[in-house]
mmCIF file of all heavy atoms in Angstrom:
data_model
loop_
_atom_site.group_PDB
_atom_site.id
_atom_site.type_symbol
_atom_site.label_atom_id
_atom_site.label_comp_id
_atom_site.label_asym_id
_atom_site.label_seq_id
_atom_site.Cartn_x
_atom_site.Cartn_y
_atom_site.Cartn_z
ATOM 1 N N VAL Z 334 -0.610 -7.678 3.251
ATOM 2 C CA VAL Z 334 -1.180 -6.933 2.124
ATOM 3 C C VAL Z 334 -2.142 -5.894 2.688
ATOM 4 O O VAL Z 334 -3.050 -6.231 3.453
ATOM 5 C CB VAL Z 334 -1.955 -7.874 1.171
ATOM 6 C CG1 VAL Z 334 -2.497 -7.098 -0.025
ATOM 7 C CG2 VAL Z 334 -1.072 -9.030 0.716
ATOM 8 N N THR Z 335 -1.933 -4.628 2.304
ATOM 9 C CA THR Z 335 -2.863 -3.565 2.688
ATOM 10 C C THR Z 335 -3.775 -3.261 1.498
ATOM 11 O O THR Z 335 -3.473 -3.632 0.359
ATOM 12 C CB THR Z 335 -2.103 -2.298 3.119
ATOM 13 O OG1 THR Z 335 -1.285 -1.866 2.016
ATOM 14 C CG2 THR Z 335 -1.203 -2.562 4.322
ATOM 15 N N LEU Z 336 -4.867 -2.544 1.758
ATOM 16 C CA LEU Z 336 -5.830 -2.255 0.683
ATOM 17 C C LEU Z 336 -6.119 -0.750 0.624
ATOM 18 O O LEU Z 336 -5.262 0.055 0.955
ATOM 19 C CB LEU Z 336 -7.109 -3.070 0.911
ATOM 20 C CG LEU Z 336 -6.925 -4.607 0.824
ATOM 21 C CD1 LEU Z 336 -8.213 -5.299 1.253
ATOM 22 C CD2 LEU Z 336 -6.532 -5.041 -0.587
ATOM 23 N N GLY Z 337 -7.321 -0.383 0.173
ATOM 24 C CA GLY Z 337 -7.655 1.035 0.028
ATOM 25 C C GLY Z 337 -9.069 1.196 -0.485
ATOM 26 O O GLY Z 337 -9.938 0.370 -0.200
ATOM 27 N N ASN Z 338 -9.281 2.243 -1.310
ATOM 28 C CA ASN Z 338 -10.639 2.522 -1.789
ATOM 29 C C ASN Z 338 -11.142 1.449 -2.754
ATOM 30 O O ASN Z 338 -12.341 1.325 -2.966
ATOM 31 C CB ASN Z 338 -10.711 3.906 -2.434
ATOM 32 C CG ASN Z 338 -9.678 4.110 -3.510
ATOM 33 O OD1 ASN Z 338 -8.487 3.857 -3.293
ATOM 34 N ND2 ASN Z 338 -10.102 4.553 -4.677
ATOM 35 N N HIS Z 339 -10.223 0.668 -3.340
ATOM 36 C CA HIS Z 339 -10.659 -0.413 -4.238
ATOM 37 C C HIS Z 339 -10.719 -1.771 -3.532
ATOM 38 O O HIS Z 339 -10.816 -2.807 -4.183
ATOM 39 C CB HIS Z 339 -9.727 -0.511 -5.453
ATOM 40 C CG HIS Z 339 -9.764 0.704 -6.328
ATOM 41 N ND1 HIS Z 339 -10.938 1.194 -6.859
ATOM 42 C CD2 HIS Z 339 -8.787 1.537 -6.755
ATOM 43 C CE1 HIS Z 339 -10.673 2.275 -7.585
ATOM 44 N NE2 HIS Z 339 -9.376 2.506 -7.522
ATOM 45 N N SER Z 340 -10.660 -1.760 -2.196
ATOM 46 C CA SER Z 340 -10.618 -3.010 -1.414
ATOM 47 C C SER Z 340 -11.581 -4.062 -1.929
ATOM 48 O O SER Z 340 -11.208 -5.201 -2.196
ATOM 49 C CB SER Z 340 -10.994 -2.741 0.053
ATOM 50 O OG SER Z 340 -10.048 -1.935 0.673
ATOM 51 N N PHE Z 341 -12.844 -3.674 -2.038
ATOM 52 C CA PHE Z 341 -13.886 -4.680 -2.275
ATOM 53 C C PHE Z 341 -14.433 -4.641 -3.695
ATOM 54 O O PHE Z 341 -15.562 -5.042 -3.947
ATOM 55 C CB PHE Z 341 -14.988 -4.515 -1.228
ATOM 56 C CG PHE Z 341 -14.472 -4.747 0.174
ATOM 57 C CD1 PHE Z 341 -14.332 -3.692 1.062
ATOM 58 C CD2 PHE Z 341 -14.082 -6.012 0.575
ATOM 59 C CE1 PHE Z 341 -13.833 -3.903 2.336
ATOM 60 C CE2 PHE Z 341 -13.580 -6.238 1.852
ATOM 61 C CZ PHE Z 341 -13.456 -5.180 2.738
ATOM 62 N N SER Z 342 -13.620 -4.179 -4.647
ATOM 63 C CA SER Z 342 -14.081 -4.136 -6.036
ATOM 64 C C SER Z 342 -14.311 -5.543 -6.595
ATOM 65 O O SER Z 342 -15.081 -5.711 -7.534
ATOM 66 C CB SER Z 342 -13.068 -3.398 -6.913
ATOM 67 O OG SER Z 342 -12.922 -2.068 -6.452
ATOM 68 N N LYS Z 343 -13.590 -6.514 -6.069
ATOM 69 C CA LYS Z 343 -13.820 -7.904 -6.500
ATOM 70 C C LYS Z 343 -14.490 -8.644 -5.352
ATOM 71 O O LYS Z 343 -13.900 -8.846 -4.286
ATOM 72 C CB LYS Z 343 -12.479 -8.594 -6.866
ATOM 73 C CG LYS Z 343 -11.833 -8.015 -8.105
ATOM 74 C CD LYS Z 343 -12.598 -8.368 -9.389
ATOM 75 C CE LYS Z 343 -11.995 -7.682 -10.611
ATOM 76 N NZ LYS Z 343 -12.246 -6.231 -10.675
ATOM 77 N N GLN Z 344 -15.730 -9.073 -5.632
ATOM 78 C CA GLN Z 344 -16.543 -9.663 -4.575
ATOM 79 C C GLN Z 344 -15.924 -10.928 -3.984
ATOM 80 O O GLN Z 344 -16.159 -11.252 -2.826
ATOM 81 C CB GLN Z 344 -17.920 -9.979 -5.142
ATOM 82 C CG GLN Z 344 -19.013 -9.415 -4.269
ATOM 83 C CD GLN Z 344 -20.379 -9.856 -4.735
ATOM 84 O OE1 GLN Z 344 -20.546 -10.366 -5.841
ATOM 85 N NE2 GLN Z 344 -21.363 -9.657 -3.893
ATOM 86 N N GLU Z 345 -15.116 -11.635 -4.792
ATOM 87 C CA GLU Z 345 -14.579 -12.902 -4.270
ATOM 88 C C GLU Z 345 -13.667 -12.687 -3.067
ATOM 89 O O GLU Z 345 -13.389 -13.632 -2.329
ATOM 90 C CB GLU Z 345 -13.863 -13.702 -5.371
ATOM 91 C CG GLU Z 345 -12.562 -13.097 -5.856
ATOM 92 C CD GLU Z 345 -11.810 -14.043 -6.806
ATOM 93 O OE1 GLU Z 345 -12.132 -14.032 -7.993
ATOM 94 O OE2 GLU Z 345 -10.915 -14.771 -6.348
ATOM 95 N N LEU Z 346 -13.224 -11.442 -2.835
ATOM 96 C CA LEU Z 346 -12.405 -11.169 -1.652
ATOM 97 C C LEU Z 346 -13.131 -11.573 -0.371
ATOM 98 O O LEU Z 346 -12.514 -12.023 0.593
ATOM 99 C CB LEU Z 346 -12.011 -9.678 -1.608
ATOM 100 C CG LEU Z 346 -11.208 -9.213 -0.392
ATOM 101 C CD1 LEU Z 346 -9.903 -9.975 -0.255
ATOM 102 C CD2 LEU Z 346 -10.925 -7.722 -0.460
ATOM 103 N N PHE Z 347 -14.467 -11.419 -0.368
ATOM 104 C CA PHE Z 347 -15.233 -11.779 0.834
ATOM 105 C C PHE Z 347 -15.022 -13.236 1.226
ATOM 106 O O PHE Z 347 -15.125 -13.588 2.389
ATOM 107 C CB PHE Z 347 -16.738 -11.539 0.596
ATOM 108 C CG PHE Z 347 -17.099 -10.080 0.515
ATOM 109 C CD1 PHE Z 347 -17.637 -9.547 -0.643
ATOM 110 C CD2 PHE Z 347 -16.904 -9.245 1.605
ATOM 111 C CE1 PHE Z 347 -17.965 -8.202 -0.720
ATOM 112 C CE2 PHE Z 347 -17.230 -7.895 1.534
ATOM 113 C CZ PHE Z 347 -17.763 -7.377 0.372
ATOM 114 N N THR Z 348 -14.728 -14.086 0.237
ATOM 115 C CA THR Z 348 -14.623 -15.522 0.521
ATOM 116 C C THR Z 348 -13.288 -15.894 1.163
ATOM 117 O O THR Z 348 -13.167 -16.988 1.716
ATOM 118 C CB THR Z 348 -14.797 -16.364 -0.758
ATOM 119 O OG1 THR Z 348 -13.692 -16.072 -1.640
ATOM 120 C CG2 THR Z 348 -16.098 -16.058 -1.471
ATOM 121 N N PHE Z 349 -12.274 -15.034 1.072
ATOM 122 C CA PHE Z 349 -10.978 -15.443 1.658
ATOM 123 C C PHE Z 349 -10.326 -14.386 2.547
ATOM 124 O O PHE Z 349 -9.334 -14.668 3.212
ATOM 125 C CB PHE Z 349 -9.998 -15.889 0.554
ATOM 126 C CG PHE Z 349 -9.514 -14.801 -0.371
ATOM 127 C CD1 PHE Z 349 -8.301 -14.157 -0.127
ATOM 128 C CD2 PHE Z 349 -10.249 -14.419 -1.475
ATOM 129 C CE1 PHE Z 349 -7.830 -13.163 -0.967
ATOM 130 C CE2 PHE Z 349 -9.793 -13.420 -2.327
ATOM 131 C CZ PHE Z 349 -8.590 -12.791 -2.069
ATOM 132 N N ILE Z 350 -10.910 -13.190 2.647
ATOM 133 C CA ILE Z 350 -10.217 -12.105 3.371
ATOM 134 C C ILE Z 350 -9.994 -12.434 4.849
ATOM 135 O O ILE Z 350 -8.941 -12.113 5.410
ATOM 136 C CB ILE Z 350 -10.944 -10.745 3.204
ATOM 137 C CG1 ILE Z 350 -10.080 -9.619 3.791
ATOM 138 C CG2 ILE Z 350 -12.343 -10.749 3.812
ATOM 139 C CD1 ILE Z 350 -10.552 -8.220 3.492
ATOM 140 N N ASN Z 351 -10.959 -13.094 5.484
ATOM 141 C CA ASN Z 351 -10.840 -13.294 6.932
ATOM 142 C C ASN Z 351 -9.671 -14.204 7.313
ATOM 143 O O ASN Z 351 -9.119 -14.084 8.398
ATOM 144 C CB ASN Z 351 -12.150 -13.832 7.508
ATOM 145 C CG ASN Z 351 -13.180 -12.713 7.591
ATOM 146 O OD1 ASN Z 351 -12.846 -11.548 7.796
ATOM 147 N ND2 ASN Z 351 -14.440 -13.062 7.382
ATOM 148 N N ASP Z 352 -9.301 -15.111 6.416
ATOM 149 C CA ASP Z 352 -8.196 -16.034 6.725
ATOM 150 C C ASP Z 352 -6.889 -15.612 6.068
ATOM 151 O O ASP Z 352 -5.899 -16.335 6.134
ATOM 152 C CB ASP Z 352 -8.560 -17.452 6.251
ATOM 153 C CG ASP Z 352 -9.789 -17.969 6.964
ATOM 154 O OD1 ASP Z 352 -9.898 -17.715 8.174
ATOM 155 O OD2 ASP Z 352 -10.645 -18.581 6.300
ATOM 156 N N ALA Z 353 -6.882 -14.471 5.397
ATOM 157 C CA ALA Z 353 -5.699 -14.073 4.627
ATOM 158 C C ALA Z 353 -4.822 -13.097 5.409
ATOM 159 O O ALA Z 353 -5.270 -12.477 6.387
ATOM 160 C CB ALA Z 353 -6.153 -13.427 3.318
ATOM 161 N N ASN Z 354 -3.589 -12.942 4.947
ATOM 162 C CA ASN Z 354 -2.674 -11.950 5.531
ATOM 163 C C ASN Z 354 -2.964 -10.578 4.913
ATOM 164 O O ASN Z 354 -2.097 -9.944 4.320
ATOM 165 C CB ASN Z 354 -1.223 -12.347 5.274
ATOM 166 C CG ASN Z 354 -0.895 -13.680 5.892
ATOM 167 O OD1 ASN Z 354 -1.359 -13.989 6.987
ATOM 168 N ND2 ASN Z 354 -0.129 -14.492 5.190
ATOM 169 N N ILE Z 355 -4.216 -10.191 5.038
ATOM 170 C CA ILE Z 355 -4.690 -8.938 4.432
ATOM 171 C C ILE Z 355 -5.279 -8.074 5.541
ATOM 172 O O ILE Z 355 -6.000 -8.571 6.403
ATOM 173 C CB ILE Z 355 -5.781 -9.226 3.368
ATOM 174 C CG1 ILE Z 355 -5.184 -9.972 2.173
ATOM 175 C CG2 ILE Z 355 -6.454 -7.931 2.911
ATOM 176 C CD1 ILE Z 355 -6.188 -10.329 1.079
ATOM 177 N N VAL Z 356 -4.967 -6.766 5.487
ATOM 178 C CA VAL Z 356 -5.593 -5.816 6.409
ATOM 179 C C VAL Z 356 -6.359 -4.797 5.571
ATOM 180 O O VAL Z 356 -5.835 -4.275 4.594
ATOM 181 C CB VAL Z 356 -4.543 -5.178 7.353
ATOM 182 C CG1 VAL Z 356 -3.430 -4.483 6.591
ATOM 183 C CG2 VAL Z 356 -5.198 -4.223 8.332
ATOM 184 N N ARG Z 357 -7.611 -4.564 5.927
ATOM 185 C CA ARG Z 357 -8.409 -3.571 5.181
ATOM 186 C C ARG Z 357 -8.461 -2.268 5.979
ATOM 187 O O ARG Z 357 -8.152 -2.256 7.171
ATOM 188 C CB ARG Z 357 -9.809 -4.116 4.900
ATOM 189 C CG ARG Z 357 -10.541 -4.648 6.119
ATOM 190 C CD ARG Z 357 -11.762 -3.805 6.412
ATOM 191 N NE ARG Z 357 -12.592 -4.388 7.435
ATOM 192 C CZ ARG Z 357 -12.785 -3.818 8.629
ATOM 193 N NH1 ARG Z 357 -12.166 -2.689 8.958
ATOM 194 N NH2 ARG Z 357 -13.586 -4.383 9.503
ATOM 195 N N PRO Z 358 -8.824 -1.166 5.332
ATOM 196 C CA PRO Z 358 -8.856 0.092 6.066
ATOM 197 C C PRO Z 358 -9.672 -0.034 7.358
ATOM 198 O O PRO Z 358 -10.781 -0.577 7.359
ATOM 199 C CB PRO Z 358 -9.503 1.063 5.078
ATOM 200 C CG PRO Z 358 -9.074 0.530 3.736
ATOM 201 C CD PRO Z 358 -9.131 -0.964 3.886
ATOM 202 N N ALA Z 359 -9.084 0.476 8.458
ATOM 203 C CA ALA Z 359 -9.693 0.316 9.779
ATOM 204 C C ALA Z 359 -10.947 1.169 9.924
ATOM 205 O O ALA Z 359 -11.761 0.918 10.818
ATOM 206 C CB ALA Z 359 -8.682 0.687 10.847
ATOM 207 N N ASN Z 360 -11.091 2.191 9.073
ATOM 208 C CA ASN Z 360 -12.268 3.045 9.245
ATOM 209 C C ASN Z 360 -13.493 2.599 8.453
ATOM 210 O O ASN Z 360 -14.467 3.338 8.343
ATOM 211 C CB ASN Z 360 -11.958 4.525 9.016
ATOM 212 C CG ASN Z 360 -11.007 4.822 7.889
ATOM 213 O OD1 ASN Z 360 -10.438 3.928 7.258
ATOM 214 N ND2 ASN Z 360 -10.837 6.091 7.601
ATOM 215 N N TYR Z 361 -13.482 1.377 7.934
ATOM 216 C CA TYR Z 361 -14.734 0.762 7.474
ATOM 217 C C TYR Z 361 -15.546 0.424 8.732
ATOM 218 O O TYR Z 361 -14.980 0.283 9.826
ATOM 219 C CB TYR Z 361 -14.450 -0.549 6.716
ATOM 220 C CG TYR Z 361 -14.166 -0.387 5.235
ATOM 221 C CD1 TYR Z 361 -12.888 -0.569 4.728
ATOM 222 C CD2 TYR Z 361 -15.195 -0.070 4.353
ATOM 223 C CE1 TYR Z 361 -12.621 -0.433 3.370
ATOM 224 C CE2 TYR Z 361 -14.938 0.063 2.991
ATOM 225 C CZ TYR Z 361 -13.661 -0.121 2.513
ATOM 226 O OH TYR Z 361 -13.415 0.009 1.182
ATOM 227 N N PRO Z 362 -16.859 0.231 8.570
ATOM 228 C CA PRO Z 362 -17.658 -0.170 9.742
ATOM 229 C C PRO Z 362 -17.162 -1.496 10.322
ATOM 230 O O PRO Z 362 -16.553 -2.305 9.615
ATOM 231 C CB PRO Z 362 -19.069 -0.334 9.155
ATOM 232 C CG PRO Z 362 -19.083 0.501 7.920
ATOM 233 C CD PRO Z 362 -17.682 0.463 7.370
ATOM 234 N N GLU Z 363 -17.430 -1.684 11.600
ATOM 235 C CA GLU Z 363 -16.959 -2.881 12.308
ATOM 236 C C GLU Z 363 -17.411 -4.177 11.628
ATOM 237 O O GLU Z 363 -16.713 -5.187 11.645
ATOM 238 C CB GLU Z 363 -17.489 -2.850 13.739
ATOM 239 C CG GLU Z 363 -16.503 -3.366 14.762
ATOM 240 C CD GLU Z 363 -16.985 -3.065 16.153
ATOM 241 O OE1 GLU Z 363 -16.870 -1.887 16.577
ATOM 242 O OE2 GLU Z 363 -17.497 -3.991 16.786
ATOM 243 N N LYS Z 364 -18.608 -4.129 11.026
ATOM 244 C CA LYS Z 364 -19.159 -5.355 10.444
ATOM 245 C C LYS Z 364 -18.579 -5.681 9.067
ATOM 246 O O LYS Z 364 -18.842 -6.750 8.515
ATOM 247 C CB LYS Z 364 -20.678 -5.253 10.343
ATOM 248 C CG LYS Z 364 -21.327 -5.370 11.698
ATOM 249 C CD LYS Z 364 -22.826 -5.408 11.624
ATOM 250 C CE LYS Z 364 -23.382 -5.643 13.020
ATOM 251 N NZ LYS Z 364 -24.786 -5.253 13.127
ATOM 252 N N THR Z 365 -17.794 -4.780 8.477
ATOM 253 C CA THR Z 365 -17.169 -5.064 7.181
ATOM 254 C C THR Z 365 -16.218 -6.250 7.337
ATOM 255 O O THR Z 365 -15.449 -6.290 8.312
ATOM 256 C CB THR Z 365 -16.371 -3.826 6.698
ATOM 257 O OG1 THR Z 365 -17.232 -2.702 6.716
ATOM 258 C CG2 THR Z 365 -15.832 -4.036 5.287
ATOM 259 N N PRO Z 366 -16.249 -7.219 6.415
ATOM 260 C CA PRO Z 366 -15.318 -8.356 6.520
ATOM 261 C C PRO Z 366 -13.858 -7.902 6.539
ATOM 262 O O PRO Z 366 -13.528 -6.837 6.005
ATOM 263 C CB PRO Z 366 -15.595 -9.162 5.245
ATOM 264 C CG PRO Z 366 -16.949 -8.761 4.810
ATOM 265 C CD PRO Z 366 -17.126 -7.337 5.245
ATOM 266 N N GLY Z 367 -13.008 -8.720 7.132
ATOM 267 C CA GLY Z 367 -11.572 -8.432 7.142
ATOM 268 C C GLY Z 367 -11.098 -7.858 8.459
ATOM 269 O O GLY Z 367 -11.887 -7.468 9.312
ATOM 270 N N LYS Z 368 -9.777 -7.805 8.590
ATOM 271 C CA LYS Z 368 -9.147 -7.354 9.829
ATOM 272 C C LYS Z 368 -8.802 -5.860 9.792
ATOM 273 O O LYS Z 368 -8.394 -5.361 8.752
ATOM 274 C CB LYS Z 368 -7.830 -8.121 10.046
ATOM 275 C CG LYS Z 368 -8.008 -9.580 10.354
ATOM 276 C CD LYS Z 368 -6.666 -10.305 10.426
ATOM 277 C CE LYS Z 368 -6.258 -10.931 9.117
ATOM 278 N NZ LYS Z 368 -7.093 -11.984 8.591
ATOM 279 N N SER Z 369 -8.886 -5.200 10.952
ATOM 280 C CA SER Z 369 -8.439 -3.807 11.090
ATOM 281 C C SER Z 369 -6.959 -3.733 11.426
ATOM 282 O O SER Z 369 -6.326 -2.692 11.238
ATOM 283 C CB SER Z 369 -9.203 -3.093 12.200
ATOM 284 O OG SER Z 369 -10.552 -3.067 11.902
ATOM 285 N N VAL Z 370 -6.435 -4.812 11.990
ATOM 286 C CA VAL Z 370 -5.007 -4.887 12.316
ATOM 287 C C VAL Z 370 -4.530 -6.277 11.919
ATOM 288 O O VAL Z 370 -5.226 -7.263 12.178
ATOM 289 C CB VAL Z 370 -4.745 -4.740 13.835
ATOM 290 C CG1 VAL Z 370 -3.247 -4.727 14.111
ATOM 291 C CG2 VAL Z 370 -5.385 -3.499 14.385
ATOM 292 N N LEU Z 371 -3.370 -6.341 11.292
ATOM 293 C CA LEU Z 371 -2.771 -7.644 10.979
ATOM 294 C C LEU Z 371 -1.489 -7.759 11.794
ATOM 295 O O LEU Z 371 -0.641 -6.870 11.745
ATOM 296 C CB LEU Z 371 -2.464 -7.730 9.480
ATOM 297 C CG LEU Z 371 -1.771 -9.009 9.017
ATOM 298 C CD1 LEU Z 371 -2.695 -10.212 9.155
ATOM 299 C CD2 LEU Z 371 -1.334 -8.876 7.565
ATOM 300 N N MET Z 372 -1.372 -8.835 12.562
ATOM 301 C CA MET Z 372 -0.180 -9.029 13.377
ATOM 302 C C MET Z 372 0.777 -9.995 12.678
ATOM 303 O O MET Z 372 0.353 -11.038 12.185
ATOM 304 C CB MET Z 372 -0.554 -9.610 14.751
ATOM 305 C CG MET Z 372 -1.437 -8.720 15.591
ATOM 306 S SD MET Z 372 -0.711 -7.114 16.008
ATOM 307 C CE MET Z 372 0.739 -7.641 16.928
ATOM 308 N N ILE Z 373 2.047 -9.617 12.640
ATOM 309 C CA ILE Z 373 3.086 -10.499 12.097
ATOM 310 C C ILE Z 373 4.072 -10.773 13.235
ATOM 311 O O ILE Z 373 4.452 -9.848 13.959
ATOM 312 C CB ILE Z 373 3.879 -9.814 10.958
ATOM 313 C CG1 ILE Z 373 2.955 -9.262 9.875
ATOM 314 C CG2 ILE Z 373 4.881 -10.767 10.339
ATOM 315 C CD1 ILE Z 373 3.706 -8.403 8.839
ATOM 316 N N ASN Z 374 4.463 -12.014 13.374
ATOM 317 C CA ASN Z 374 5.517 -12.334 14.342
ATOM 318 C C ASN Z 374 6.819 -12.518 13.592
ATOM 319 O O ASN Z 374 6.871 -13.242 12.595
ATOM 320 C CB ASN Z 374 5.190 -13.621 15.100
ATOM 321 C CG ASN Z 374 4.012 -13.412 16.024
ATOM 322 O OD1 ASN Z 374 4.006 -12.468 16.814
ATOM 323 N ND2 ASN Z 374 3.000 -14.244 15.896
ATOM 324 N N PHE Z 375 7.867 -11.836 14.077
ATOM 325 C CA PHE Z 375 9.184 -12.032 13.467
ATOM 326 C C PHE Z 375 10.207 -12.168 14.587
ATOM 327 O O PHE Z 375 10.400 -11.230 15.369
ATOM 328 C CB PHE Z 375 9.556 -10.866 12.536
ATOM 329 C CG PHE Z 375 10.922 -11.020 11.941
ATOM 330 C CD1 PHE Z 375 11.140 -11.934 10.918
ATOM 331 C CD2 PHE Z 375 11.998 -10.288 12.432
ATOM 332 C CE1 PHE Z 375 12.409 -12.110 10.392
ATOM 333 C CE2 PHE Z 375 13.270 -10.454 11.899
ATOM 334 C CZ PHE Z 375 13.473 -11.360 10.880
ATOM 335 N N ASN Z 376 10.840 -13.322 14.671
ATOM 336 C CA ASN Z 376 11.700 -13.660 15.808
ATOM 337 C C ASN Z 376 10.932 -13.378 17.099
ATOM 338 O O ASN Z 376 9.838 -13.870 17.264
ATOM 339 C CB ASN Z 376 13.030 -12.926 15.726
ATOM 340 C CG ASN Z 376 13.901 -13.505 14.592
ATOM 341 O OD1 ASN Z 376 13.649 -14.618 14.136
ATOM 342 N ND2 ASN Z 376 14.894 -12.773 14.154
ATOM 343 N N ASP Z 377 11.435 -12.512 17.956
ATOM 344 C CA ASP Z 377 10.704 -12.270 19.204
ATOM 345 C C ASP Z 377 9.893 -10.975 19.144
ATOM 346 O O ASP Z 377 9.459 -10.464 20.163
ATOM 347 C CB ASP Z 377 11.693 -12.245 20.382
ATOM 348 C CG ASP Z 377 12.797 -11.220 20.167
ATOM 349 O OD1 ASP Z 377 12.932 -10.726 19.024
ATOM 350 O OD2 ASP Z 377 13.517 -10.905 21.126
#
Side-chain angles (χ1 to χ4, degrees):
V334 182
T335 59
L336 296 172
N338 53 310
H339 296 305
S340 294
F341 298 109
S342 299
K343 292 289 175 288
Q344 231 186 346
E345 69 172 84
L346 177 59
F347 290 118
T348 65
F349 68 95
I350 188 170
N351 284 328
D352 298 320
N354 299 322
I355 293 179
V356 57
R357 52 115 171 114
N360 39 355
Y361 273 108
E363 218 169 284
K364 287 186 175 161
T365 307
K368 291 175 267 296
S369 299
V370 184
L371 177 67
M372 297 299 299
I373 307 172
N374 291 309
F375 178 75
N376 289 342
D377 56 347

